[in-house]
Amino acid sequence: MAHRIDEAYAIMQANDRGGYTIPTSRLYPYQWNWDSAFAALGFAAFDRDRAWRELETLFDAQWPNGMVPHIVFRRDDPDYFPGPSVWQSNTTPPSSGHSQPPVATSVAKWLIDSGGPDDIERARNLFPAIMRYHQWFHAARDPHETGLIAITHPWESGRDNCGDWDAAMARVPVDHGLGDYKRRDVSHVDASERPTQAQYDRYLSLVAFGQRTGWDHLEIYKTGPFLMVDPGVHFILMQADQDLLDMADTLGFSGDMKAIKSWITRYANADIQLWNSEIGTFTAMDLKSREQVPAITNASFLSLYAGAGTTDQTRQTVEHLRAIQANCKVGVPSWDPRHQDYEPQRYWRGPVWAMINYLIVLGLERCGEPELASELQAETLKMIEDAGFYEYFNSKTGEGSGGPDFTWTAAIYLAWTVGLEAQNADRKAS
């Protein structure tokens, strides 16, 4: 199993830009928010100082209001569109105008739990910035204190063209001031694996709307044309809040614990609202129409990661996972293969993503399904070993798709294989 560890190390080092990591060259030449969080997991396998620096450079780009942007433009690269001139964030460094799933908090918590005094000190220095990030999320993405965490752009979910957004995006008016623009992604990856042009028009229309507000996030929440609850962001923040509470206790930030506990309390009501009783799992919700999306994605299974729902809801969710796995060569697909709109190789409409599988494995272990967790972990590792370190993988064939030599795929491989080797060594020693 471990015969590609050296290759994974090499990818991490090749994508290192001196304190921050790019996902892959040319296709994604900047620092991405949740990519950096997963990169830190990979670096921790061989360089804990470098793991912390990945998180620290990410938070160096934090906005004055506490937001940590989804892209940090540390230099202008013509290989990527839309770049800093399109976003016009008026920040230093330039960045995009919204955020991404806050995995960084949970990675920092893991570094504390698996480390020593140096990790405690690095975490203590970073904690105030992490706390401000969570304060921003709850104020800007749940201003009515419902416990439902919204997104204002599909890109904020990290699951850009997922079918969850189709109906809501169809109602987004195309900004006729966009003019002629040239996408760069389809010059690096086959167009059949990327979002459509019609989707891109609306993505950029939402960027233009945000720009016109001066990136006023409360105004964007209130009057923007797109507002949805993404199970991915929602459950990742839910777990991150739990991890933040533990960090506050461990690091001596007791004054912040009351606020964090109040956020956690709100999720009980949110669980009730996000549960789709017709399907039997958690699905996305359009906050404008109050309609739930009638389909399952891999983000639905992150409820297990966050410990959300009742015992019966967990049972039904696990049953769906087993049924979906039975319909694929490799899983977990980003869109239910039983759905008519499933596309096994188009970005977030069917392919498998190793870092989402990593979170689902943690969820299965948490909910008392260790055998299914081990099966999914082994299947994911074999998929990577067979196909290589791609951005994502065809769920029907296991073929690698998207960008090659991808940081987060290498990082997950290292986090699992190096950890497994250490566990095996411990067993032999005992």
Side-chain angles (χ1 to χ4, degrees), residues 93-154:
S95 69
S96 59
H98 54 69
S99 194
Q100 254 190 338
V103 185
T105 304
S106 298
V107 172
K109 168 67 163 50
W110 179 84
L111 287 170
I112 294 171
D113 291 346
S114 61
D118 288 345
D119 298 279
I120 292 288
E121 188 61 24
R122 299 288 280 269
R124 187 173 284 119
N125 291 335
L126 195 58
F127 183 88
I130 298 176
M131 181 67 189
R132 289 199 303 119
Y133 186 26
H134 284 243
Q135 289 169 332
W136 173 84
F137 250 115
H138 289 281
R141 294 297 183 257
D142 184 22
H144 304 304
E145 301 184 353
T146 64
L148 290 169
I149 306 302
I151 59 170
T152 60
H153 194 299

Side-chain angles (χ1 to χ4, degrees), residues 152 209-210 213 215-227:
T152 60
F209 177 86
T213 71
W215 297 110
D216 181 335
H217 290 105
L218 287 178
E219 182 64 24
I220 294 169
Y221 184 101
K222 180 181 177 181
T223 64
F226 180 91
L227 190 69

Side-chain angles (χ1 to χ4, degrees), residues 38 41 103 106-107 110 239 243 301-307 355-370 372-374 376-377 412 416:
F38 289 112
L41 277 178
V103 185
S106 298
V107 172
W110 179 84
Q239 179 58 45
D243 291 333
F301 303 115
L302 296 183
S303 63
L304 307 175
Y305 168 69
M355 84 293 183
I356 297 294
N357 281 8
Y358 179 86
L359 300 180
I360 294 173
V361 166
L362 291 177
L364 289 168
E365 292 171 345
R366 178 175 187 168
C367 76
E369 293 284 348
L372 187 55
S374 294
L376 179 57
Q377 182 182 35
I412 295 306
W416 270 340

Side-chain angles (χ1 to χ4, degrees), residues 27-28 32 155 158-162 185 192-195 199 203 334-335 343-353 391-393 401-402:
L27 180 61
Y28 302 114
W32 260 258
W155 287 342
R159 303 186 302 123
D160 303 11
N161 70 329
C162 176
D185 59 324
S192 66
E193 299 178 16
R194 300 294 296 175
Q199 288 169 333
Y203 295 153
S334 46
W335 190 248
E343 297 180 73
Q345 194 158 325
R346 189 185 290 275
Y347 213 35
W348 287 94
R349 303 184 74 88
V352 175
W353 298 74
E391 181 180 4
Y392 46 92
F393 301 82
S401 300

Side-chain angles (χ1 to χ4, degrees), residues 6-7 13 74 107 206 238 245 274 334 354 365 409 424:
D6 288 345
E7 185 180 348
Q13 292 166 338
R74 298 193 179 278
V107 172
L206 291 174
M238 183 175 176
L245 182 64
L274 273 187
S334 46
E365 292 171 345
T409 307
N424 291 334

